[in-house]
């Protein structure tokens, strides 16, 4: 099972749903999607609007990997559960978000080796193949950064 979560932003995120719907690499997978405010009809995807945090954690636990938007809550919830994460950031040019801060988050977390993220010039199905073969890097919070931040505060 693949779990997909796109957060709670009011903007639609149909672009990701179209990728999921048309993916040849995911054609035999069960795909559960927390859709938030995005309206999308599908016979292939199992879509629900909102779920509790506990339900989301259970779906993440059961998932082979997680696909999500570039929200830190979604990403870090999956990383803390030692799941592989493919991120498709919401982009302002498609009116999926008000700005492109999700790109910055994705760039840094991919550079650090924690996630893969779909850049616009990349093929979604190729990324699915990569994430399936990828060895996961265990997420460990940066204690020294937190200690420095506490001193500053």
């Amino acid at each position: 099972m693949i779990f997909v979560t796109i957060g709670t932003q009011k903007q639609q995120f149909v672009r990701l749903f179209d990728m999921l719907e048309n993916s040849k690499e995911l054609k035999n997978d069960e795909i559960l999607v927390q859709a938030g405010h995005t309206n999308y009809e599908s016979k292939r995807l199992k879509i629900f609007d909102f779920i509790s945090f506990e339900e989301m954690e259970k779906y993440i636990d059961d998932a082979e990997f997680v696909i999500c938007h570039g929200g830190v809550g979604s990403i870090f919830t999956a990383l803390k559960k030692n799941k592989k994460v493919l991120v498709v950031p919401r982009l302002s040019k498609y009116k999926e978000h008000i700005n492109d801060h999700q790109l910055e988050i994705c760039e840094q977390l991919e550079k650090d080796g924690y996630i893969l993220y779909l850049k616009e010039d990349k093929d979604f199905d190729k990324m699915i193949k990569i994430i399936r073969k990828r060895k996961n890097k265990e997420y460990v919070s940066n204690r020294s950064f937190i200690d420095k931040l506490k001193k500053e505060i």
Side-chain angles (χ1 to χ4, degrees):
M1 181 269 286
I2 310 304
F3 181 63
V4 180
T5 180
I6 65 163
T8 59
Q9 283 84 9
K10 300 259 188 225
Q11 296 91 342
Q12 299 287 305
F13 199 17
V14 173
R15 182 171 59 99
L16 175 56
F17 286 72
D18 287 341
M19 288 181 221
L20 294 165
E21 187 80 28
N22 297 312
S23 172
K24 290 180 175 66
E25 286 298 314
L26 296 174
K27 70 180 176 194
N28 296 319
D29 290 283
E30 177 183 24
I31 304 171
L32 302 180
V33 184
Q34 176 271 314
H37 294 283
T38 297
N39 301 313
Y40 196 89
E41 298 276 328
S42 174
K43 291 181 180 173
R44 180 176 182 193
L45 310 173
K46 294 180 183 176
I47 299 173
F48 38 88
D49 295 340
F50 296 97
I51 55 174
S52 69
F53 186 72
E54 292 77 20
E55 287 175 290
M56 184 172 83
E57 286 188 308
K58 182 182 178 339
Y59 289 134
I60 291 171
D61 286 337
D62 294 342
E64 176 188 351
F65 59 90
V66 173
I67 299 172
C68 65
H69 70 133
V72 292
S74 299
I75 295 169
F76 282 101
T77 300
L79 289 177
K80 288 176 184 176
K81 292 184 160 290
N82 202 31
K83 289 295 176 174
K84 296 185 278 188
V85 183
L86 174 59
V87 180
V88 180
R90 291 171 174 264
L91 300 175
S92 62
K93 72 179 182 180
Y94 299 121
K95 301 193 182 343
E96 297 163 346
H97 214 304
I98 58 172
N99 60 37
D100 288 330
H101 73 279
Q102 290 191 354
L103 285 173
E104 295 172 36
I105 294 163
C106 290
E107 287 168 6
Q108 186 62 52
L109 289 173
E110 186 174 77
K111 179 181 170 190
D112 293 342
Y114 291 114
I115 67 163
L116 287 178
Y117 90 93
L118 184 71
K119 298 161 189 78
E120 280 200 276
D121 63 338
K122 300 294 181 195
D123 180 83
F124 183 71
D125 276 344
K126 283 184 184 176
M127 296 300 286
I128 297 298
K129 286 180 187 177
I130 293 168
I131 198 86
R132 282 204 156 115
K133 293 177 183 175
R134 180 184 169 102
K135 183 169 174 18
N136 205 36
K137 178 178 179 180
E138 184 177 353
Y139 172 73
V140 180
S141 69
N142 188 336
R143 188 77 229 157
S144 65
F145 173 76
I146 294 169
D147 291 341
K148 285 179 187 176
L149 184 60
K150 283 181 181 178
K151 284 181 184 178
E152 289 296 320
I153 293 172

